[in-house]
Amino acid sequence: GPNSCQQADITCPYGDSCSVTCSNSNACRKTLINAQYSTKFALNNCNDGDLTCNGMTIYFPPHIGNTPRATINGGNHLTSLYDEPLHFYAIFGWLDIGIMKNNDNNLDDNSIGFMHCLPHYQKSCTFISHGWECLEDNNICDDPPTLQPTAAPTSSPTANPTIDPTESP
């Protein structure tokens, strides 16, 4: 209902999927969602009521092999109105967020939204005001490096690594 998860802290399960549905006025306003360790994440229905998803902070899971594991489905109420900024944390920036559907193709103001990207979220950009990309041209959050860490690291690394390794074995 209205205000149901307003200003809540939601931690999605580690290694499992997570879906959050916000379908009334202020339902997810200023809510923090940590889904960075989930296998999949979906934010649904930010289109019913007023300020449904205004000023949210979301940590997204990283994509795997060019396949995003996060989806935002519907809603022109995922906004940054009334000095309540949106903050998206995604290691590979916009590449981590798969499908962003808007039911009426009309985005409200996102001019104080920020994408934080790269490991440790060391880079960021400002959203364009009516869309889902960085305002600044050639921002690294729009097109970050996409090499992922190894899935099976060495269990006992060498104590004396090579200073100039070969390119291939």
Side-chain angles (χ1 to χ4, degrees):
N3 308 314
S4 58
C5 290
Q6 184 174 4
Q7 297 185 353
D9 287 351
I10 299 171
T11 301
C12 292
Y14 181 91
D16 206 350
S17 62
C18 180
S19 177
V20 176
T21 299
C22 308
S23 55
N24 281 292
S25 293
N26 298 310
C28 293
R29 185 175 183 181
K30 296 174 72 176
T31 295
L32 167 69
I33 299 174
N34 187 341
Q36 67 185 355
Y37 300 114
S38 294
T39 55
K40 288 191 179 223
F41 171 71
L43 177 64
N44 301 305
N45 210 19
C46 289
N47 57 344
D48 295 335
D50 294 323
L51 303 171
T52 309
C53 295
N54 195 67
M56 293 185 77
T57 297
I58 305 172
Y59 287 81
F60 294 96
H63 72 277
I64 293 180
N66 296 328
T67 302
R69 295 189 296 155
T71 305
I72 295 176
N73 290 308
N76 61 336
H77 291 251
L78 181 58
T79 55
S80 57
L81 301 172
Y82 304 112
D83 292 324
E84 296 174 2
L86 287 171
H87 286 278
F88 288 179
Y89 291 84
I91 292 172
F92 297 105
W94 298 105
L95 298 177
D96 288 340
I97 305 168
I99 302 167
M100 298 183 115
K101 295 181 180 177
N102 187 308
N103 291 346
D104 59 10
N105 294 319
N106 178 29
L107 297 173
D108 281 347
D109 186 15
N110 295 322
S111 60
I112 54 170
F114 302 95
M115 168 60 78
H116 306 269
C117 67
L118 297 183
H120 310 290
Y121 308 110
Q122 64 216 38
K123 297 291 183 179
S124 64
C125 73
T126 303
F127 295 3
I128 61 172
S129 64
H130 293 326
W132 306 110
E133 61 186 79
C134 295
L135 175 66
E136 305 87 5
D137 288 336
N138 301 315
N139 189 285
I140 197 161
C141 292
D142 280 334
D143 190 22
T146 57
L147 293 176
Q148 296 211 14
T150 180
T154 305
S155 60
S156 57
T158 181
N160 299 310
T162 306
I163 295 172
D164 295 312
T166 59
E167 289 186 29
S168 63

